[in-house]
Amino acid sequence: MRTPFIPVILACALFATAGVALAEPARGERLQAELQQRFASADRDGDGRLSAEEAKAGMPFVSRHFAAIDAEGQGSVSLEQIKSFAQAQMARRKGAQ
């Protein structure tokens, strides 16, 4: 089952890096705020990183792709790592079209 969060995280990464937020500031800001809020809610210990358990409980997309996002094997992921992963996924999907 696909969660509605997947398009949100991918859109946030795209808006944050492609300058689309400048063209549609309200939408880009709203998506960024939603991503940050979801991340903060999932980050139960407030350390600015998600463990696999935190991701599983609060961010299913991140949980499913945790190993790929945590490419360095740190055992946790930051919001910036999530955004970078989502951006790469969007670029890969665009290239496949």
Side-chain angles (χ1 to χ4, degrees):
M1 181 171 120
R2 291 177 59 115
T3 65
F5 181 64
I6 293 170
V8 171
I9 194 168
L10 295 176
C12 286
L14 177 64
F15 292 144
T17 58
V20 176
L22 296 174
E24 298 179 355
R27 184 176 182 201
E29 289 171 11
R30 180 181 52 79
L31 291 172
Q32 284 290 334
E34 184 176 335
L35 176 61
Q36 289 173 345
Q37 186 275 327
R38 288 185 64 115
F39 183 89
S41 292
D43 183 15
R44 296 289 184 186
D45 62 7
D47 67 352
R49 300 187 64 81
L50 296 183
S51 66
E53 294 79 24
E54 288 172 323
K56 185 175 182 179
M59 296 186 84
F61 173 83
V62 174
S63 180
R64 283 192 303 278
H65 302 283
F66 193 86
I69 298 169
D70 183 25
E72 297 175 7
Q74 296 177 324
S76 62
V77 296
S78 68
L79 181 57
E80 291 306 315
Q81 286 174 295
I82 295 168
K83 287 179 183 179
S84 294
F85 177 79
Q87 178 187 8
Q89 291 291 95
M90 287 285 289
R92 187 177 59 98
R93 287 182 184 178
K94 265 189 155 177
Q97 291 179 354

